[in-house]
């Protein structure tokens, strides 16, 4: 079990942990933007940088690493608030504020780092997308890949192929749910859902009329996971009610 020292706190973590895992275990907060515990670390936003020293290095030699994807090794010392860590995070947030001046999350993080206004020229047509790729990665993780990054430089954005309704999208909303700036628009009701320009029919629980998931999503899971299609026609509420009825009939609950 690697043992590290993070901001003076000693912490032991399981093999395979990252510096971010170790910091969390030590109760040390590190800001992140492109990290999600359910996805492989990506190391894209650079907000989670820390200063790191490891055994064998000169005492005054440190390296800036991204904590979300750097392995936690035995004997390592980590500094999450050194002057250059604070400065680096400030540059990242200053740039993000120029790109997304209206995004509340970025405004808040920047303000937490003492930045009220960007020192760069704000983007002429700002949007709230920070290009963290969480949406494309979660879609890839589902083995769907309906959206991706397109274009380069200042024109880089997230979009479906040819900016048309993506044929492979199943309307699961996973991309919108993981988006840290809530900038993926969608509409959903008990009857229909739309996202990325594609319309979906909702499956509804016959007992409650409550929408469960999209028909396309149920077909995807039934096809890929072998889960019977009927499973998705029952809402969680109805499943809980049925379970409670069973418990009552067993006289477990009064
Ligand atoms: S809603 Fe569509 S694009 Fe978004 S994660 Fe689901 S399948 Fe992918
Ligand atoms: S749309 Fe949201 S999740 Fe996707 S890259 Fe932009 S900010 Fe990240
Ligand atoms: S959270 Fe580590 S690089 Fe984005």
């Amino acid at each position: 079990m690697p043992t590290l020292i993070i901001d003076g706190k000693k912490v032991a973590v399981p093999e395979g942990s990252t510096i971010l895992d170790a910091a969390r275990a030590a109760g040390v907060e590190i800001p992140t933007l492109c990290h999600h515990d359910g996805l492989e670390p990506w190391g894209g936003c650079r907000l989670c940088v820390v200063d790191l020293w490891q055994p064998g290095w000169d005492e005054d030699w440190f390296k800036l690493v991204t904590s979300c994807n750097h392995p936690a090794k035995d004997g390592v010392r980590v500094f999450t608030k050194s002057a250059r860590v604070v400065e680096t995070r400030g540059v990242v947030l200053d740039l993000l504020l120029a790109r997304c001046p209206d995004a509340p999350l970025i405004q808040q993080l920047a303000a937490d780092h003492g930045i009220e206004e960007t020192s760069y020229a704000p983007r002429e047509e700002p949007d709230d997308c920070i290009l963290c790729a969480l949406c494309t990665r979660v879609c890839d993780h589902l083995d769907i890949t309906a959206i991706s990054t397109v274009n380069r430089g200042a024109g880089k954005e997230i979009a479906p192929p040819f900016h048309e309704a993506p044929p492979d999208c199943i309307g699961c909303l996973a991309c919108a749910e993981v988006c840290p700036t809530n900038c993926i628009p969608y509409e959903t009701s008990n009857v229909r859902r739309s996202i990325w320009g594609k319309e979906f029919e909702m499956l509804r629980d016959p007992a409650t009329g409550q929408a469960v998931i999209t028909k396309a999503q149920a077909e995807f899971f039934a096809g890929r996971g072998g889960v019977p299609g009927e499973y998705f026609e029952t809402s969680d509420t109805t499943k809980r009610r049925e379970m409670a009825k069973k418990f009552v009939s067993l006289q477990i609950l009064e």
Side-chain angles (χ1 to χ4, degrees):
M1 236 176 154
T3 301
L4 306 78
I5 296 181
I6 302 186
D7 289 349
K9 295 182 183 175
K10 197 171 181 181
V11 61
V13 287
E15 287 291 345
S17 300
T18 61
I19 299 286
L20 180 63
D21 295 329
R24 287 174 173 175
V28 173
E29 199 178 328
I30 296 176
T32 62
L33 275 174
C34 71
H35 181 76
H36 188 287
D37 288 339
L39 297 171
E40 283 292 305
W42 188 55
C45 74
R46 323 308 284 179
L47 189 63
C48 68
V49 287
V50 293
D51 252 324
L52 177 139
W53 176 91
Q54 69 182 45
W57 290 1
D58 290 346
E59 278 298 312
D60 59 352
W61 180 258
F62 297 91
K63 188 177 171 188
L64 269 183
V65 299
T66 44
S67 60
C68 66
N69 60 356
H70 198 90
K73 290 189 186 155
D74 199 44
V76 156
R77 280 189 236 146
V78 176
F79 301 86
T80 72
K81 296 175 187 66
S82 67
R84 70 174 183 166
V85 164
V86 172
E87 186 185 348
T88 305
R89 283 189 197 147
V91 171
V92 170
L93 290 165
D94 198 358
L95 285 163
L96 283 175
L97 201 54
R99 178 182 171 84
C100 311
D102 303 324
L105 174 67
I106 302 306
Q107 289 170 343
Q108 184 59 57
L109 281 168
D112 291 347
H113 285 74
I115 303 167
E116 297 297 335
E117 277 185 30
T118 179
S119 61
Y120 297 95
R123 205 164 172 234
E124 281 179 13
E125 290 178 19
D127 64 34
D128 287 354
C129 177
I130 58 171
L131 294 174
C132 67
L134 276 171
C135 53
T136 55
R137 286 186 287 140
V138 77
C139 198
D140 288 348
H141 187 74
L142 292 167
D143 201 18
I144 298 174
T145 314
I147 50 173
S148 63
T149 48
V150 296
N151 302 324
R152 291 185 181 186
K156 195 170 176 181
E157 62 176 329
I158 305 293
F162 308 110
H163 286 88
E164 290 172 4
D168 296 335
C169 179
I170 58 171
C172 66
L173 299 189
C175 51
E177 294 292 337
V178 295
C179 177
T181 58
N182 295 316
C183 71
I184 299 178
Y186 67 89
E187 286 181 13
T188 190
S189 74
N190 257 4
V191 184
R192 300 202 71 74
R193 176 177 289 171
S194 62
I195 187 167
W196 298 113
K198 189 168 176 181
E199 294 277 328
F200 297 91
E201 180 189 340
M202 300 303 294
L203 282 187
R204 283 186 289 166
D205 183 336
T208 64
Q210 187 186 352
V212 185
I213 55 175
T214 65
K215 190 161 176 276
Q217 197 176 352
E219 286 167 357
F220 176 83
F221 286 128
R224 297 284 180 100
V227 185
E230 313 84 76
Y231 178 83
F232 300 108
E233 290 170 12
T234 312
S235 70
D236 289 346
T237 310
T238 298
K239 283 181 192 139
R240 279 197 296 274
R241 278 186 194 148
E242 292 301 319
M243 187 60 74
K245 274 189 208 160
K246 276 185 193 156
F247 282 166
V248 169
S249 70
L250 292 170
Q251 297 186 326
I252 294 171
L253 295 175
E254 286 302 319

